[in-house]
Amino acid sequence: MGRRRGFGYLRRLPSKRWQASYIGPDLGRHNAPDTFETKGDGEAWLAAERRLLAADDWLPPGQRRRQGLTFEAYAGHWLEARELKPSTRALYRGILRRELLPEFGETSVTRIGAADVRAWYATLDPGRKTRRAHAYSLLRAILDTAVTEEVIPSNPCTIRGAGQTKRARRIEPATLDELAALVAAMPERLRLMPLLAAWCGLRFGEVSELRRRDLDLERGRLAVARGVVRVDGTDVVGTPKSAAGVRVVAIPPHLVPVITAHLAEHVGPGREALLFPHSAAEPKRHMTHARYYGRFHMPAREAAGLPDLRF
């Protein structure tokens, strides 16, 4: 049995308690978060809602309950709920810590407006375009989810093109002669590493995780099924960067004897032996990006006249 009023609607439930609701400015029906023991309690709740409407300080009850939810708390829940690669999760945590939380951490998610976002974006170093774009994209993604979950009515990230970036200058791939010079300047046990990257199209983490069992020299094939990334000082082995990254690559015939010699001279026995371990003294430890670039790749590319060449 329900009873219409000048504002709102009261209904007595079979439990003898009272339920109160009303149609809001958004034309949606909004129920009180709890039922009431007496009709008078329900009328008091409706009166309080009507005062909020009159004062133009109204939010849907669901959003109002989350009004005290800080951006830091919401972003933490958002990050934990995502299935991310360890390296991506670490990247997002770093962006949150450096760029987003100092500005928005203590602010209620419902109180972040477009003007706030624009003011924050203007403080980011325009000389670091990629970092700036990553920070904006992460903020937009978190607040997109807040819209989907009806925490906020719309996303305040409205700056066109702010999440996009372009490479500052084009980096040309090495010519065959330049590649030969680069390889010649590398230590003998690592010369195959840039050759596999160049001829088979492998990322650094994919090359670093290659093992004897990934090679089929009789058929001239190389299986790419894993990659390694370093997160917080720990090597984490997982699937490649994308689903398409799991693949079988043809090995050019001229590389087969080079690989055969490398296996015989620089790789330990057993199917699980790494092709490029950290060192001869640590055959089970992966070659780290920092060690490879600092000690070997950077000096070699300088010697080859390719100071800006990427792996």
Side-chain angles (χ1 to χ4, degrees):
M1 179 177 179
R3 191 172 297 179
R4 295 185 182 277
R5 311 171 67 257
F7 173 77
Y9 185 80
L10 283 170
R11 182 167 73 100
R12 197 172 191 187
L13 302 174
S15 64
K16 306 300 183 183
R17 293 181 67 83
W18 290 83
Q19 183 184 59
S21 67
Y22 62 93
I23 303 298
D26 57 355
L27 302 183
R29 178 171 291 279
H30 300 284
N31 294 312
D34 298 299
T35 56
F36 303 99
E37 186 174 352
T38 67
K39 178 183 174 182
D41 291 338
E43 290 175 334
W45 182 81
L46 287 171
E49 293 295 301
R50 190 172 188 178
R51 285 194 294 272
L52 289 175
L53 285 166
D56 198 25
D57 197 24
W58 180 86
L59 285 173
Q63 290 184 28
R64 203 178 310 151
R65 287 195 299 272
R66 297 171 179 173
Q67 194 169 8
L69 180 63
T70 65
F71 176 79
E72 182 173 10
Y74 187 80
H77 296 320
W78 183 91
L79 191 59
E80 291 305 315
R82 293 294 174 282
E83 292 186 6
L84 301 170
K85 296 282 187 184
S87 57
T88 303
R89 189 176 299 279
L91 171 65
Y92 286 175
R93 282 176 177 159
I95 294 173
L96 281 169
R97 183 179 66 253
R98 293 189 305 269
E99 313 293 353
L100 300 182
L101 295 185
E103 179 70 23
F104 301 113
E106 298 302 317
T107 304
S108 168
V109 180
T110 61
R111 296 298 184 187
I112 299 175
D116 301 314
V117 174
R118 288 183 178 276
W120 161 77
Y121 184 74
T123 67
L124 298 179
D125 184 357
R128 308 188 71 172
K129 295 182 179 180
T130 299
R131 183 168 173 176
R132 199 182 194 200
H134 285 172
Y136 182 86
S137 296
L138 180 58
L139 177 63
R140 183 178 58 195
I142 293 171
L143 296 181
D144 268 342
T145 303
V147 173
T148 301
E149 295 180 344
E150 299 182 348
V151 176
I152 56 177
S154 61
N155 194 329
C157 295
T158 58
I159 305 173
R160 183 174 297 179
Q164 301 173 356
T165 185
K166 295 181 180 179
R167 187 184 294 275
R169 58 194 176 93
R170 180 180 174 83
I171 298 177
E172 296 292 338
T175 65
L176 292 179
D177 289 341
E178 289 170 337
L179 178 61
L182 176 77
V183 171
M186 295 284 292
E188 187 176 339
R189 71 181 182 89
L190 295 177
R191 289 177 179 174
L192 179 61
M193 206 168 182
L195 288 174
L196 287 176
W199 289 102
C200 299
L202 305 185
R203 298 181 177 91
F204 180 84
E206 295 169 342
V207 178
S208 301
E209 170 53 18
L210 284 177
R211 301 172 186 268
R212 277 187 180 270
R213 64 183 168 102
D214 298 316
L215 299 174
D216 183 348
L217 297 184
E218 291 185 5
R219 297 183 180 182
R221 296 177 180 177
L222 183 156
V224 182
R226 303 168 313 282
V228 60
V229 294
R230 196 160 182 82
V231 180
D232 297 330
T234 302
D235 292 335
V236 179
V237 176
T239 55
K241 190 174 182 180
S242 65
V246 179
R247 61 202 186 276
V248 175
V249 181
I251 301 172
H254 73 278
L255 279 191
V256 172
V258 181
I259 295 173
T260 301
H262 178 84
L263 292 173
E265 297 172 17
H266 305 293
V267 181
R271 287 169 47 81
E272 296 300 317
L274 290 168
L275 265 61
F276 306 102
H278 188 265
S279 65
E282 299 175 282
K284 295 184 178 181
R285 182 181 172 190
H286 291 90
M287 171 65 67
T288 64
H289 189 276
R291 176 181 171 85
Y292 175 81
Y293 264 81
R295 288 196 179 186
F296 311 119
H297 191 70
M298 291 179 68
R301 67 184 185 180
E302 290 286 348
L306 301 169
D308 62 351
L309 185 70
R310 303 291 292 274
F311 190 88

